[in-house]
Amino acid sequence: MSGRIVATKYGTSHAISQRQVQALERTAHRGRNWTDAVQKAALDLLATGKTPELSSTERSRLKNRIRSLDVGALAGQILRGRVSLRRAASDEATRRFVSVLASELGLSAGGGLGVLVTHDASRVARRSRLGLDDSGDIAVVEGDEVHRRVLEALALYTYGDARECSAATQWITSAQEAV
């Protein structure tokens, strides 16, 4: 497989969760994948409006690309290789990972997708006792604190339910227009 979707193998068959299929449908894009440097520069532009990573010409091209991409393609480019789905052992543990954007997006604090953005995602997820689960209720995203809101919005768009996806789409679109 290409690594774009997670499947569990049972004997000679593969089981794919509905959440993984949904994420693949929402983030499909054409063309080359962005390098890590371009991903970081795009996150910088969406989060702060500036990036020291690129020359002025490269920055201008990236700004135009960010503005012209649909939300799914942008999410696919930035989240590629950064996110895993996990499941908490209890509802109490799940509530610790409510998105900081939830209230800003008009989403309720209970239920829905939890999001954890941290620099060393695998280690923090293990320490928090979050089991790897391809249909999990917590998106663990590798990223910096300065990019937290953008990464949360992209994770909610990609893995959230219809309400979360719609709210995140509006937030991301406004961030794209502000670039």
Side-chain angles (χ1 to χ4, degrees):
M1 293 187 98
S2 68
R4 293 206 51 211
I5 193 163
V6 177
T8 305
K9 188 170 183 178
Y10 296 103
T12 59
S13 301
H14 287 83
I16 300 170
S17 76
Q18 182 61 34
R19 189 166 260 168
Q20 290 292 326
V21 172
Q22 166 190 300
L24 182 64
E25 288 173 347
R26 288 182 181 171
T27 61
H29 67 288
R30 299 182 73 164
R32 292 184 190 156
N33 289 329
W34 289 353
T35 64
D36 291 340
V38 174
Q39 285 178 335
K40 184 179 182 325
L43 282 168
D44 286 341
L45 288 169
L46 289 164
T48 65
K50 55 189 173 197
T51 182
E53 305 289 320
L54 305 172
S55 69
S56 61
T57 304
E58 292 170 324
R59 188 172 33 255
S60 179
R61 284 187 193 144
L62 182 57
K63 283 182 176 183
N64 287 334
R65 198 178 316 162
I66 289 170
R67 286 187 201 115
S68 66
L69 282 176
D70 71 347
V71 174
L74 183 64
Q77 288 287 14
I78 292 176
L79 290 181
R80 181 183 46 81
R82 291 181 178 268
V83 65
S84 65
L85 289 175
R86 306 285 180 139
R87 184 159 311 276
S90 67
D91 289 338
E92 273 180 43
T94 303
R95 283 190 282 276
R96 289 193 338 234
F97 302 106
V98 172
S99 168
V100 297
L101 276 180
S103 62
E104 186 178 333
L105 296 176
L107 302 170
S108 61
L113 182 72
V115 182
L116 169 63
V117 176
T118 184
H119 187 63
D120 191 0
S122 295
R123 186 176 57 81
V124 173
R126 280 192 310 273
R127 187 180 302 145
S128 300
R129 298 180 186 255
L130 301 176
L132 197 55
D133 183 352
D134 60 343
S135 62
D137 53 1
I138 299 170
V140 179
V141 185
E142 184 83 27
D144 297 326
E145 185 63 31
V146 69
H147 304 137
R148 179 184 185 98
R149 295 174 60 187
V150 175
L151 290 169
E152 281 189 4
L154 292 170
L156 287 170
Y157 168 80
T158 304
Y159 295 103
D161 61 21
R163 212 171 32 92
E164 292 166 329
C165 179
S166 176
T169 300
Q170 291 175 356
W171 191 93
I172 296 165
T173 301
S174 67
Q176 285 176 287
E177 292 168 358
V179 166

